[in-house]
Amino acid sequence: MAHHAMLIEDEPHITEAIRFLLSRDGWQVSALRDGGEAEAAVRAARPDLLILDLMLPGRSGLEILSALRADAEFAALPVMMLTAKGQGRDREAAERAGANLFMAKPFSNAEFVAAARSLVPVTDPASGGGA
Amino acid sequence: MPFNLLVLACLSYAILLFAIAFAAERNMQAGAARWLRSPLVYTLSLSIYCTAWTFYGAVGYAARSGLEFATIYLGPTLVFVGWWWILRKLVRIGRRQRVTSIADMISSRYGKSNLLGVIVTVMCVVAATPYIALQLQSVTLSFGVFATAGTYGWALPDTNSTALWVAVGLALFTILFGTRNLDANEQHTGIVTAIAVEAVVKLVALLAVGIYVVWVLADGPVDIFERINASALADWELIPSRWTGLIALSAAAVLCLPRMFQVLVVECSDERNLATASWAFPLYLAAMSIFVVPIAVVGLQMLPAGANPDLFVLTLPLSQGQGGLAMLAFLGGFSSATSMVIVASIALSTMVSNHIVMPLWLSLRPTREVTGDVRRLVLHARRFSIAGVLGLGYLYYSLSGGSAALAAIGLISFVGVAQMLPAMLGAIFWRGATRVGASAGLCIGFAVWAYTLFLPSFGPGGVYSLSMFMEGPFGIGWLRPQALFGVAGMDPLIHALFWSLSLNTVAFAIGSLVSFPTPVERVQGLAFVNVFDTERTEPLAWETGQVETEELLKLAQRILGDEQALTFFEHAAAEQGTGGYLPDPTPEFLDALERKLAGAVGAAAAHAMIAELAGRARVTVADLMRVADETAQIMEYSGRLEAQRAEMERTARQLREANEKLTQLSIQKDAFLSQISHELRTPMTSIRAFSEILMEGDVPPEVASGQARIIHEEAIRLTRLLDDLLDLSVLENGTVQLDLRLASLNELIDRALRSAAQVRPERVFTIWRDLPSEALFLRTDPDRLSQVFINLVSNSRKYCDAARPELRINVKQRGARVIVDFIDNGSGIPKDKQQIIFEKFARLSDQTRAGGAGLGLAICREIMANLGGTIAYLPAQGGAAFRVTLPLRLEKHPFADAA
Amino acid sequence: MRRRSPVFLARRAYRLRRLRDAARLLPLAGAFLLLLPILWEPAGGAARETAWDGVYLFVIWGLLIGAAAWLARGLVAGEDSDDDIAADTAIEAMSDSPPDSPTDGPAGGLAGGGR
């Protein structure tokens, strides 16, 4: 069964790019634009990987992450944070909030996919399908 | 001539005067008779200088002392032809300060001191008493002439009762016409007119007797000439000290006599009248004097030895059987006496009520509030004062027995009032004169006068014993009343004049030099001495805010009367620009009110009354600067220090501000770079991701074309961002090239609405416009301006959150500027954000992010600055509202001058 | 802009000043003349010519009155013209200021040139 990655990102074109990359790598991708609805959606969908943009309409990525980490059920959820600012300050803040990985935009496609894989132990989708 | 006929003549003459006074007041109220205030009436009213003393006494004086009588008229002549020196200043000050009497003037000048007012009032009353007695005596004597004429076989019942009747009659007349108005500055038109008529009567009477004497009794001027040189008068000896002293004395008296001050200053309605009086009054005096010597000479020759020369004017015609002429002469003398008594008692009663009764009442009344009808009180005080003054005169007449020669009594009075001369001249010419000096001078002069002249006038055995005259008090020789400090052999009058005025002046000078004036004194001193320089002196700064105008109105009503007070207040309110009857109690208003009240109750009382309601008048720094040059210099110096300190503070503040601004700029620059980084990275992310995907080459063609389109769009977005940044940079530097053309505002708005329709095209806006108001042609850069308009309309389309969105566009022209308002019906921009929306990247929240980089309004602001206009957020319009203001005709680049 | 001959104004103002000087001097001259009889001693103890003294006094008196009348006329006229001069200067000051520059013309008149 494919791993489920949930993407919270307000730029539609970036969402489209990431969806394409992860889908091609065998992920099941769901995406959301609004930060305000993100937490509930995560709780409901219980994804294997959460990809959070730092600056979001409605609620910032850091707030969503802190809220999730406060809940024991999501304390171990792998989270990757994206930011377009790319400053050290943001990285520290993200790590304090409990992000497993921090990625600056723009990123290389290969790096991105590798990072996603590193957070969730992935069995080969094709072989997994055969089992 | 029957005595009854004489009484009847007097009574009908009095009734005639009554009628004239009454008619004059009626005419004046109707505003009909300008001539009542003409120079002629003014000059004639001055003739109260010529009393019965002149009318009867001058001839007697001439018979005794030759031409010396003329000195009494030469002094005033010099004062009047020299009006440019003193009189002009006195009249100007009197009008400016609303002076009610000479006591009021001196009190007002020396710091509105009531003590001085009291001193001067007492002096005037004491000095005037013998003078009034003199008038009563002359009228009584003239009655007596007819009685003792014998031809008609009747005798005067009793001289004392005659004098009493005359006094009572005069008191009644004066009370009736002198105390009708309270405001002494409102001038007694009726009285003045009656006085002018009396002036004519006495001149005509004296001239008639003179002509009769010269051309009927003698054979014309040549004969008179010979008779004079043949008469006893030819032996007349001119005593230099008396000649000089008397000219000076009469000059001083004409300035200081309360009744002269009354007609000269208080009753003066127009300063120009003084110019006419400067020659017309000396002419009147000369006319009154010209026949004095002939009458005296002919009288001495024709009448039996021992006849009283003081009555030649009457007895000469009477002895020739000229009853009619004698009657005229009698009326002339009666006129002289009555006019003097009337004016003198009005002047004295004003002084007594303002400087003695009012202050007493002010300090004795139980409550602080001014209650009851003060008007009535003041009028009663004046009426009683008039009666009192006449009563005193009558008392003096009865006590002195009417024996002394008329001229002697008059001169005693003159020396008494002359004591006010130093204080008065100091008041108007010497800023250094002080209250202490004036009081000292007045008191010493008055005391010396009383000691050396007034008390001795009762004769040996009167007040002083004979030994007092011969050996001095307690045998102290150098204190003999008529030989002070051992200076014996001097004429008693000149002796008294010399010592009293000398000691007075010395005390005044020394007192002024060693004392220090109060602030009010200094301010008043400046206002008096420099009355011609300072067109309008600043009012004293009353403490405002402590006083209720209503209380002031109550006070004014009690003093001025309801109607007058209301009119005054209403006028003041209108002048301040407020309606109704209650003006703000500004310093100017309080000052005007004080002057108004001063016209009724005198400067000191008015000042005290307002001070009680309004608190003390503060003498401000500005007042002192005007008063004293030295103070001004000190103030200027400390002012410079103050200015330097302020300058340093200002510089420090500017430095602080600059520093803050720099810090702010640095922070802003960091934030700006961070923002730009974000705005550049976001499209770059999509471009990089999709270009890598495309480079791998295993994407189906239809997907690839979609991805290429995204790359293209993001590239355009990047370009637009860079364009905006460049645009902003150019606009901020002021290096933008404007393409100035004429453009229709209507078309510009059309274009903006069309272009902005692409933004969120799904929203349907109701647009409200007023097309006629948009029919304007602007000279501006149309592309730049429509860029602003498009931005505003787009913002509205993007952010207006109303269910049925509306946009109103209002255009107004204000002179050479045009105002365009864009108002939507959304929830608007919160107050705390209204300031920052024009900053770069100042999107209010990420929720409202719709593609723009947040530079739109920042660019709009810069564009409008370049177009010579402004853009601002309009609060409280029921939605987001932006106001664009720009010039109708932009002629050149607004920054061109600065560049 | 109108300008009066400044020579005329200055001359008039100058006359006025001297007239005021004369007005101030007149009482001093009068006092001197009236005190002059003090110095007259009847020659050789002869009787004083009282009539002539009287004539002298009244002649001086008449001269003073005449001079005062003449001066008063000039002084009053002078005070009035002081106001005149002040008013004139005020008017000139007003006309000195440039008139409002005319506007470019009515906005509607340029409508044709707009586009």
Side-chain angles (χ1 to χ4, degrees):
Chain A
M1 185 192 148
H3 290 291
H4 180 200
M6 185 171 244
L7 171 64
I8 320 287
E9 165 66 65
D10 60 327
E11 282 285 335
H13 291 160
I14 297 178
T15 305
E16 204 173 329
I18 292 175
R19 187 196 290 275
F20 182 89
L21 291 172
L22 289 183
S23 303
R24 202 176 56 177
D25 197 45
W27 295 72
Q28 184 205 336
V29 180
S30 59
L32 203 66
R33 281 187 64 149
D34 191 69
E37 302 158 8
E39 194 185 336
V42 171
R43 286 179 189 279
R46 310 182 69 79
D48 301 307
L49 171 66
L50 179 63
I51 303 169
L52 256 182
D53 190 18
L54 199 67
M55 276 174 65
L56 283 170
R59 199 176 181 195
S60 94
L62 288 175
E63 282 171 34
I64 297 166
L65 180 55
S66 305
L68 288 173
R69 287 290 187 238
D71 191 339
E73 208 177 329
F74 295 97
L77 174 69
V79 174
M80 182 201 293
M81 294 225 51
L82 298 176
T83 177
K85 283 189 177 167
Q87 286 174 331
R89 267 210 308 274
D90 293 335
R91 182 181 294 268
E92 285 165 24
E95 276 164 9
R96 263 204 310 281
N100 302 79
L101 206 123
F102 186 88
M103 183 146 291
K105 298 177 188 173
F107 42 77
S108 126
N109 289 354
E111 259 178 51
F112 183 82
V113 175
R117 283 179 174 220
S118 73
L119 288 174
V120 181
V122 183
T123 49
D124 190 68
S127 60
Chain B
M1 185 186 294
F3 182 67
N4 289 347
L5 192 63
L6 197 67
V7 173
L8 193 68
C10 284
L11 281 181
S12 24
Y13 180 67
I15 289 168
L16 176 73
L17 286 183
F18 228 96
I20 289 170
F22 193 69
E25 293 221 322
R26 284 278 292 273
N27 273 339
M28 202 64 196
Q29 275 164 5
R34 289 295 313 155
W35 64 269
L36 290 176
R37 286 300 182 200
S38 69
L40 179 73
V41 172
Y42 180 69
T43 307
L44 287 175
S45 72
L46 292 175
S47 73
I48 53 152
Y49 181 74
C50 304
T51 63
W53 177 29
T54 300
F55 196 84
Y56 296 123
V59 173
Y61 198 153
R64 292 183 197 99
S65 313
L67 285 175
E68 194 182 284
F69 86 94
T71 54
I72 304 302
Y73 311 100
L74 290 174
T77 297
L78 289 179
V79 169
F80 271 81
V81 301
W83 65 292
W84 201 258
W85 283 106
I86 300 176
L87 291 181
R88 196 170 73 101
K89 202 164 189 180
L90 272 185
V91 168
R92 176 70 65 91
I93 291 170
R95 294 170 61 77
R96 184 69 55 82
Q97 303 279 332
R98 293 177 74 86
V99 162
T100 60
S101 66
I102 183 167
D104 190 33
M105 195 199 102
I106 290 180
S107 136
S108 175
R109 158 62 178 86
Y110 297 107
K112 304 187 181 175
S113 139
N114 199 51
L115 176 70
L116 268 173
V118 172
I119 293 174
V120 174
T121 301
V122 168
M123 280 173 66
C124 288
V125 170
V126 173
T129 298
Y131 216 145
I132 288 171
L134 172 63
Q135 309 306 314
L136 298 179
Q137 181 188 354
S138 65
V139 174
T140 312
L141 278 178
S142 61
F143 268 112
V145 167
F146 285 92
T148 53
T151 348
Y152 304 100
W154 56 271
L156 194 66
D158 175 15
T159 51
N160 248 344
S161 68
T162 312
L164 187 63
W165 278 114
V166 171
V168 169
L170 286 173
L172 276 179
F173 185 86
T174 313
I175 286 169
L176 271 173
F177 274 97
T179 57
R180 284 161 63 95
N181 296 326
L182 181 55
D183 191 344
N185 250 13
E186 262 176 26
Q187 300 153 344
H188 309 85
T189 312
I191 294 271
V192 168
T193 313
I195 300 296
V197 172
E198 295 206 272
V200 176
V201 170
K202 63 194 181 195
L203 182 65
V204 167
L206 199 60
L207 288 180
V209 174
I211 289 167
Y212 172 75
V213 165
V214 173
W215 278 279
V216 177
L217 294 184
D219 294 334
V222 180
D223 182 34
I224 286 289
F225 219 83
E226 285 162 7
R227 286 184 191 221
I228 290 173
N229 278 340
S231 75
L233 258 70
D235 298 333
W236 163 68
E237 195 185 343
L238 187 149
I239 306 162
S241 69
R242 272 187 76 88
W243 184 260
T244 315
L246 287 176
I247 288 181
L249 176 62
S250 60
V254 80
L255 289 170
C256 299
L257 279 168
R259 65 172 197 278
M260 286 312 291
F261 194 89
Q262 180 79 27
V263 285
L264 197 60
V265 178
V266 181
E267 305 279 354
C268 180
S269 56
D270 186 349
E271 278 179 42
R272 280 178 216 182
N273 290 351
L274 196 57
T276 307
S278 74
W279 58 269
F281 182 59
L283 183 66
Y284 186 95
L285 293 177
M288 287 295 279
S289 309
I290 197 154
F291 289 117
V292 165
V293 171
I295 295 172
V297 168
V298 174
L300 284 174
Q301 286 173 350
M302 298 185 69
L303 291 175
N308 186 353
D310 282 336
L311 293 172
F312 280 175
V313 178
L314 270 184
T315 47
L316 256 181
L318 213 51
S319 69
Q320 302 302 313
Q322 294 289 333
L325 189 60
M327 189 71 198
L328 184 60
F330 171 80
L331 282 183
F334 188 70
S335 293
S336 315
T338 51
S339 55
M340 179 274 170
V341 172
I342 288 167
V343 179
S345 53
I346 286 178
L348 291 174
S349 72
T350 305
M351 286 157 70
V352 169
S353 82
N354 284 357
H355 297 284
I356 295 176
V357 178
M358 276 310 289
L360 273 179
W361 176 79
L362 272 178
S363 60
L364 289 183
R365 89 216 128 107
T367 54
R368 183 173 163 274
E369 203 189 343
V370 176
T371 51
D373 191 350
V374 181
R375 259 167 87 71
R376 191 172 292 273
L377 175 93
V378 172
L379 284 178
H380 279 320
R382 291 206 182 155
R383 286 171 186 151
F384 282 113
S385 307
I386 288 171
V389 164
L390 280 165
L392 276 178
Y394 174 73
L395 200 68
Y396 183 93
Y397 168 75
S398 333
L399 284 182
S400 66
S403 58
L406 294 182
I409 299 183
L411 287 174
I412 290 169
S413 196
F414 269 27
V415 179
V417 295
Q419 301 309 319
M420 284 177 284
L421 190 70
M424 184 203 242
L425 291 185
I428 64 174
F429 288 113
W430 186 27
R431 267 170 58 184
T434 69
R435 178 189 309 187
V436 174
S439 316
L442 284 170
C443 290
I444 286 178
F446 187 61
V448 174
W449 167 75
Y451 183 71
T452 59
L453 197 63
F454 183 62
L455 296 180
S457 76
F458 293 93
V463 179
Y464 295 160
S465 60
L466 187 62
S467 70
M468 173 89 171
F469 278 104
M470 303 309 291
E471 291 150 28
F474 316 112
I476 306 170
W478 59 272
L479 277 183
R480 272 179 295 163
Q482 298 186 333
L484 271 188
F485 308 112
V487 183
M490 228 166 145
D491 179 87
L493 181 86
I494 298 301
H495 170 268
L497 177 69
F498 173 77
W499 282 118
S500 62
L501 267 186
S502 303
L503 295 175
N504 178 339
T505 308
V506 167
F508 173 57
I510 292 179
S512 294
L513 290 174
V514 300
S515 61
F516 196 81
T518 64
V520 179
E521 267 183 273
R522 301 178 80 180
V523 171
Q524 287 294 89
L526 182 78
F528 273 57
V529 175
N530 294 355
V531 68
F532 292 115
D533 304 338
T534 49
E535 259 315 304
R536 174 77 185 89
T537 51
E538 296 295 316
L540 288 179
W542 288 98
E543 305 256 20
T544 50
Q546 301 182 5
V547 59
E548 289 292 325
T549 313
E550 215 170 331
E551 279 184 58
L552 290 173
L553 181 58
K554 276 186 211 155
L555 172 76
Q557 281 177 328
R558 300 248 154 74
I559 293 170
L560 304 171
D562 287 353
E563 204 47 51
Q564 233 197 330
L566 276 176
T567 311
F568 180 75
F569 273 62
E570 188 183 14
H571 191 73
E575 233 169 45
Q576 288 184 2
T578 56
Y581 291 97
L582 295 179
D584 293 332
T586 60
E588 289 77 19
F589 172 68
L590 288 173
D591 189 61
L593 181 63
E594 189 193 331
R595 274 165 207 261
K596 184 81 182 165
L597 296 184
V601 296
H607 192 71
M609 282 177 172
I610 292 195
E612 279 198 359
L613 286 182
R616 284 235 153 267
R618 226 167 354 104
V619 178
T620 62
V621 170
D623 293 325
L624 285 178
M625 277 173 70
R626 280 188 294 109
V627 171
D629 294 338
E630 67 271 33
T631 320
Q633 279 163 10
I634 293 167
M635 293 309 300
E636 199 186 323
Y637 179 66
S638 63
R640 268 207 304 277
L641 285 182
E642 181 69 21
Q644 279 175 2
R645 207 168 58 84
E647 176 70 37
M648 278 167 67
E649 245 172 34
R650 203 159 42 242
T651 314
R653 199 168 53 242
Q654 279 167 354
L655 279 173
R656 233 177 5 252
E657 275 168 11
N659 191 34
E660 271 169 23
K661 206 175 260 174
L662 280 174
T663 316
Q664 202 69 38
L665 270 178
S666 162
I667 294 171
Q668 276 177 4
K669 200 177 134 207
D670 286 352
F672 182 63
L673 284 174
S674 164
Q675 292 273 14
I676 286 181
S677 160
H678 182 265
E679 296 303 324
L680 289 174
R681 281 166 185 267
T682 301
M684 284 295 221
T685 308
S686 310
I687 291 172
R688 182 170 176 187
F690 284 115
S691 53
E692 280 182 15
I693 292 168
L694 286 176
M695 280 191 304
E696 288 165 15
D698 56 349
V699 184
E702 67 280 7
V703 178
S705 75
Q707 294 176 340
R709 191 178 45 78
I710 289 176
I711 293 173
H712 178 73
E713 275 177 19
E714 291 294 334
I716 289 175
R717 180 174 163 188
L718 266 180
T719 316
R720 201 168 60 225
L721 173 66
L722 291 174
D723 281 348
D724 278 359
L725 281 172
L726 274 177
D727 206 14
L728 198 57
S729 156
V730 166
L731 287 164
E732 278 182 343
N733 292 338
T735 50
V736 66
Q737 283 291 320
L738 291 180
D739 180 17
L740 294 183
R741 277 180 287 133
L742 276 174
S744 155
L745 181 62
N746 180 273
E747 281 177 27
L748 285 176
I749 294 176
D750 280 348
R751 192 161 104 192
L753 288 172
R754 264 198 316 274
S755 305
Q758 297 161 7
V759 179
R760 295 183 72 179
E762 75 281 7
R763 304 199 73 187
V764 179
F765 264 73
T766 313
I767 310 285
W768 299 99
R769 291 170 68 181
D770 178 31
L771 293 178
S773 67
E774 292 174 9
L776 286 173
F777 276 83
L778 308 173
R779 182 177 164 77
T780 188
D781 185 328
D783 294 335
R784 286 299 190 175
L785 188 58
S786 54
Q787 194 182 342
V788 174
F789 288 175
I790 290 167
N791 201 296
L792 291 176
V793 178
S794 307
N795 278 353
S796 202
R797 294 194 74 95
K798 281 184 217 161
Y799 305 126
C800 178
D801 50 7
R804 302 164 65 92
E806 292 179 5
L807 177 63
R808 231 164 354 114
I809 301 173
N810 297 333
V811 177
K812 279 171 283 207
Q813 191 186 345
R814 291 276 177 278
R817 297 186 79 75
V818 181
I819 296 170
V820 187
D821 292 341
F822 294 84
I823 304 169
D824 68 28
N825 62 342
S827 53
I829 293 172
K831 200 167 168 25
D832 55 327
K833 297 289 195 330
Q834 289 169 7
Q835 288 306 310
I836 63 159
I837 50 175
F838 294 104
E839 300 301 328
K840 292 182 276 279
F841 302 113
R843 276 172 311 202
L844 296 184
S845 73
D846 289 320
Q847 186 169 23
T848 55
R849 179 176 180 178
L855 289 173
L857 283 175
I859 289 174
C860 286
R861 185 177 64 175
E862 293 305 325
I863 290 175
M864 289 320 298
N866 276 277
L867 292 180
T870 56
I871 179 168
Y873 186 78
L874 273 187
Q877 299 294 317
F882 290 87
R883 164 162 293 185
V884 174
T885 311
L886 73 159
L888 193 59
R889 308 252 180 271
L890 181 62
E891 288 306 330
K892 56 181 177 181
H893 198 288
F895 296 146
D897 289 338
Chain C
M1 199 171 79
R2 66 208 186 92
R3 273 254 176 267
R4 290 217 192 146
S5 153
V7 177
F8 176 64
L9 276 185
R11 195 184 171 84
R12 206 165 65 156
Y14 181 85
R15 278 287 135 238
L16 201 57
R17 292 249 170 94
R18 298 296 81 79
L19 209 60
R20 287 173 186 167
D21 289 348
R24 289 196 179 91
L25 284 174
L26 187 62
L28 302 181
F32 172 77
L33 291 171
L34 291 177
L35 293 179
L36 214 54
I38 292 171
L39 305 174
W40 297 341
E41 278 294 316
R48 224 185 152 93
E49 294 266 315
T50 302
W52 285 114
D53 287 357
V55 168
Y56 172 78
L57 275 189
F58 278 96
V59 165
I60 297 296
W61 210 329
L63 285 178
L64 284 177
I65 291 166
W70 183 74
L71 286 174
R73 232 182 47 189
L75 289 170
V76 168
E79 278 198 340
D80 290 346
S81 72
D82 264 5
D83 300 341
D84 286 351
I85 292 168
D88 283 350
T89 351
I91 289 165
E92 284 188 15
M94 274 164 63
S95 63
D96 274 349
S97 67
D100 288 350
S101 49
T103 47
D104 290 346
L110 297 166
R115 289 212 170 196

